[in-house]
């Protein structure tokens, strides 16, 4: 259990970028709920916010991967304590660990929301299925985690781009729709803070996978290109979802999973296909969250790992009953503000400690 396979010792550009994207594009991202609350609701400002978030994803993703390589990190702990020091690093470590559990619960809740909106079935079934398959995947170790994530990402991005292009062709974006979007109000005082908050809490999730992933990267420019392609993939995905929501802003604002509602406007078949793809993406992020959470408590004896994985999954299943959109609205921004300490520490390391790891 959790033993490293030789296939993970030389992870290439594609798997780094795909794993980076897949760790983040879970229920909130691919469903459109996060994008609506963090970007779309700021109108034109949201587009500038997406560009800023993309830049932050690239820079900090690269930095985390690089530190993971140089420190040979088994989890996020070494990276956090190197960049933020013992005291603040411990605080951030707690924030990351708690949020990994909370985000796992949010992914399980997101699966329930998909079942309810797409199939009109009790969300309990969706949450139960997601909890079980996530548990079984993490029991296989990091090889299973990386493979599960990297296979699904290209399909999701392709689906999102198809829906966006179709939506813009059938319903060209107007200034009126952008104005309507800006009247809903986002999760932060303005688009600038919202973009930093968005990148911050997503990096809190991603560091749990990126830090140990960096330790297994091929030498050379692999980390740079992996982070660049990962950041660009995230930016393109967010921008595409943002445009899709804007073309149907009134309908999107009233549902838990906006992208499924938009896909239904194309055809029921497209809606069904996207619901399956979305469920797969929720799964990849849930897997990353659970693995990162368990990796943090690696000091516990090997024999206790299985009970911890099972216990964490069961507890997250219980918390998921709070509902998906509620967790996105309150949990994510709160962690994002705490995660800004991580970004400050990583930035400080890049400026003042770069010689130690470059």
């Amino acid at each position: 259990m959790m033993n490293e396979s030789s296939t993970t010792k030389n992870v290439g550009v594609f798997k780094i970028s795909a794993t980076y994207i897949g760790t983040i594009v879970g229920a909130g991202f691919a469903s459109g709920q996060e994008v609506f609350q963090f970007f779309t609701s700021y109108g034109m400002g949201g587009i500038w916010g997406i560009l800023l978030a993309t830049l932050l994803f690239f820079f900090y993703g690269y930095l985390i991967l690089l530190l993971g390589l140089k420190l040979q990190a088994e989890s996020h702990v070494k990276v956090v304590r190197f960049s933020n020091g013992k005291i603040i690093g411990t605080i951030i470590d707690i924030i990351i660990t708690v949020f990994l559990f909370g985000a796992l619960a949010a992914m399980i809740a997101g699966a329930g929301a998909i079942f309810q909106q797409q199939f009109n079935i009790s969300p309990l079934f969706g949450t139960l299925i997601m909890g079980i398959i996530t548990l079984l995947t993490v029991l296989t170790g990091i090889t299973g985690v990386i493979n599960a994530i990297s296979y699904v990402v290209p399909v999701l991005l392709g689906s999102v781009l198809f829906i966006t292009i179709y939506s813009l062709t059938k319903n060209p974006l107007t200034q009126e729709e952008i104005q309507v979007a800006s009247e809903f109000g986002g999760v932060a005082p303005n688009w600038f803070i919202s973009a930093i908050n968005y990148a911050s809490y997503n990096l809190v999730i991603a560091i749990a996978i990126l830090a140990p992933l960096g330790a297994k990267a091929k030498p050379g420019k692999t980390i740079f290109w992996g982070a660049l392609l990962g950041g660009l993939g995230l930016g393109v995905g967010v921008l595409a979802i943002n445009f899709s929501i804007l073309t149907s802003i009134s309908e999107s604002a009233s549902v838990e999973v906006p992208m499924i509602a938009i896909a239904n406007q194309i055809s029921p078949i497209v809606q069904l296909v996207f619901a399956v793809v979305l469920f797969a993406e929720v799964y990849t992020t849930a897997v990353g969250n659970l693995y990162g959470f368990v990796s943090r408590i690696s000091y516990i004896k090997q024999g206790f790992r299985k009970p911890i994985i099972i216990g964490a999954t069961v507890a997250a299943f219980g918390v998921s009953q709070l509902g998906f959109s509620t967790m996105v609205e309150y949990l994510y921004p709160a962690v994002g503000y705490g995660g800004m300490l991580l970004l400050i520490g990583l930035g400080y390391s890049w400026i003042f400690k770069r010689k130690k790891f470059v």
Side-chain angles (χ1 to χ4, degrees):
M1 223 293 299
M2 295 289 187
N3 290 334
E4 303 302 338
S5 167
S6 59
T7 59
T8 65
K9 296 300 182 183
N10 290 295
V11 180
V13 172
F14 171 75
K15 284 207 170 180
I16 288 177
S17 59
T19 303
Y20 189 4
I21 296 169
T23 302
I24 290 176
V25 294
F29 177 103
S31 69
Q33 186 63 238
E34 278 180 13
V35 177
F36 172 74
Q37 295 197 34
F38 282 86
F39 298 108
T40 310
S41 54
Y42 296 97
M44 280 300 299
I47 297 175
W48 291 109
I50 292 170
L51 295 176
L52 173 59
T54 302
L55 180 62
L56 293 173
F57 279 136
F58 161 59
F59 175 70
Y60 283 106
Y62 171 66
L63 198 50
I64 292 168
L65 286 163
L66 189 60
L67 283 171
L69 174 63
K70 296 300 180 180
L71 299 173
Q72 284 298 292
E74 300 88 8
S75 71
H76 65 265
V77 181
K78 285 185 179 180
V79 173
V80 168
R81 292 189 176 170
F82 175 86
S83 61
N84 292 81
K86 187 174 182 180
I87 297 176
I88 297 179
T90 299
I91 295 172
I92 294 173
D93 178 24
I94 293 171
I95 292 172
I96 292 172
T97 305
V98 170
F99 187 49
L100 285 170
F101 174 81
L104 170 63
M107 294 306 102
I108 294 174
I114 294 169
F115 264 62
Q116 184 175 41
Q117 186 169 323
Q118 173 63 40
F119 305 110
N120 198 27
I121 298 174
S122 169
L124 182 64
F125 289 100
T127 57
L128 188 60
I129 291 172
M130 183 57 65
I132 292 172
I133 62 176
T134 300
L135 167 66
L136 293 176
T137 303
V138 174
L139 286 172
T140 67
I142 194 169
T143 304
V145 171
I146 293 174
N147 289 336
I149 291 174
S150 60
Y151 292 151
V152 179
V153 167
V155 180
L156 172 80
L157 291 180
S159 302
V160 166
L161 289 174
F162 169 76
I163 292 172
T164 300
I165 293 170
Y166 188 95
S167 299
L168 289 173
T169 302
K170 291 294 184 180
N171 183 22
L173 191 59
T174 65
Q175 184 62 41
E176 181 182 355
E177 287 168 328
I178 295 174
Q179 180 60 39
V180 170
S182 64
E183 294 172 359
F184 284 99
V187 296
N190 55 62
W191 66 264
F192 184 80
I193 295 176
S194 185
I196 296 175
N197 192 295
Y198 180 78
S200 174
Y201 84 75
N202 274 303
L203 285 163
V204 164
I205 295 176
I207 192 173
I209 293 294
L210 291 184
L213 188 63
K216 299 168 181 59
K218 290 180 180 179
K221 294 286 186 180
T222 302
I223 284 175
F224 175 85
W225 288 110
L228 180 60
L229 292 178
L232 288 175
L234 288 166
V236 169
V238 173
L239 191 63
I241 292 171
N242 182 61
F243 282 138
S244 294
I245 294 174
L246 282 172
T247 61
S248 305
I249 185 62
S250 298
E251 297 86 349
S252 298
S254 61
V255 295
E256 286 262 285
V257 189
M259 287 299 286
I260 287 183
I262 294 168
N264 186 49
Q265 295 175 7
I266 301 175
S267 80
I269 294 176
V270 173
Q271 181 190 27
L272 176 60
V273 171
F274 188 77
V276 173
V277 174
L278 176 55
F279 190 86
E281 274 305 333
V282 172
Y283 157 71
T284 65
T285 303
V287 163
N289 292 335
L290 180 57
Y291 180 82
F293 179 79
V294 173
S295 294
R296 170 59 190 96
I297 47 181
S298 58
Y299 59 86
I300 296 176
K301 291 183 179 180
Q302 188 79 8
F304 288 97
R305 286 182 182 272
K306 280 188 179 180
I308 290 167
I309 295 172
I310 295 170
T313 306
V314 172
F317 172 80
V319 174
S320 72
Q321 304 310 306
L322 292 173
F324 176 51
S325 60
T326 300
M327 298 189 74
V328 171
E329 183 177 359
Y330 296 106
L331 173 66
Y332 285 23
V335 174
Y337 286 116
M340 288 180 189
L341 290 172
L342 172 64
L343 302 192
I344 292 170
L346 287 168
Y348 176 87
S349 297
W350 178 255
I351 296 170
F352 297 104
K353 301 181 182 179
R354 190 169 10 172
K355 291 182 179 179
K356 295 183 179 180
F357 61 90
V358 174

